[in-house]
Amino acid sequence: MTALGAISTLTVRDAVARIGDDNHCQAGGATALSGALAAALAQATANSTLIENPARGQADAARAMQATMAAARADFLRLADQDANAILEYVALEARGAALTGYALLCDGPRDMAAVAVAAAQAMQAFRVHVGARSPRRS
């Protein structure tokens, strides 16, 4: 059993096929890819706010949001790559009698994804009051 490589470098179509056609559930990889897409959408909201010539405070908030979401995207993509292969690593470790090490590997990804997701959601919520008119503010 060998790792399949970076899921984040695949096209969306190929990533969906890899996840759907595999014999192991890559739930963490799929979740992290979804998180990266959500962060990209939030970053686009900041981008659209900046093109409206916002007031200084609004522009500063939008630039901070761009940076925060760029970091979240990178974290989610890194975690997608790690987690997409974690089940394969777990099975290999279990076969070598190191199931506990493998189990810890399976727990790290979801915990780390949750931390990134919470921080990103808090940043998104804080940015809502600064969103430009071209972007919807609905909840």
Side-chain angles (χ1 to χ4, degrees):
M1 220 175 272
T2 60
L4 296 172
I7 196 168
S8 68
T9 62
L10 300 175
T11 66
V12 172
R13 183 177 306 277
D14 288 343
V16 169
R18 174 177 157 179
I19 291 166
D21 294 344
D22 202 350
N23 294 329
H24 302 290
C25 293
Q26 298 175 36
T31 301
L33 288 175
S34 297
L37 288 169
L41 183 57
Q43 188 175 4
T45 301
N47 297 344
S48 68
T49 297
L50 281 173
I51 64 171
E52 296 178 18
N53 293 322
R56 182 176 174 194
Q58 189 180 19
D60 290 345
R63 282 190 285 278
M65 187 64 167
Q66 285 175 320
T68 299
M69 290 304 117
R73 283 174 39 197
D75 286 344
F76 277 127
L77 292 173
R78 176 183 52 77
L79 290 165
D81 291 338
Q82 281 180 291
D83 202 80
N85 289 314
I87 189 68
L88 297 177
E89 293 177 45
Y90 169 76
V91 170
L93 286 165
E94 185 179 45
R96 292 194 305 260
L100 287 178
T101 301
Y103 185 73
L105 176 69
L106 291 176
C107 293
D108 289 347
R111 182 202 60 228
D112 294 345
M113 277 179 241
V116 174
V118 166
Q122 289 171 335
M124 290 175 197
Q125 186 62 29
F127 183 66
R128 285 175 56 102
V129 298
H130 301 288
V131 172
R134 292 172 41 122
S135 298
R137 296 177 201 222
R138 295 187 184 101
S139 54

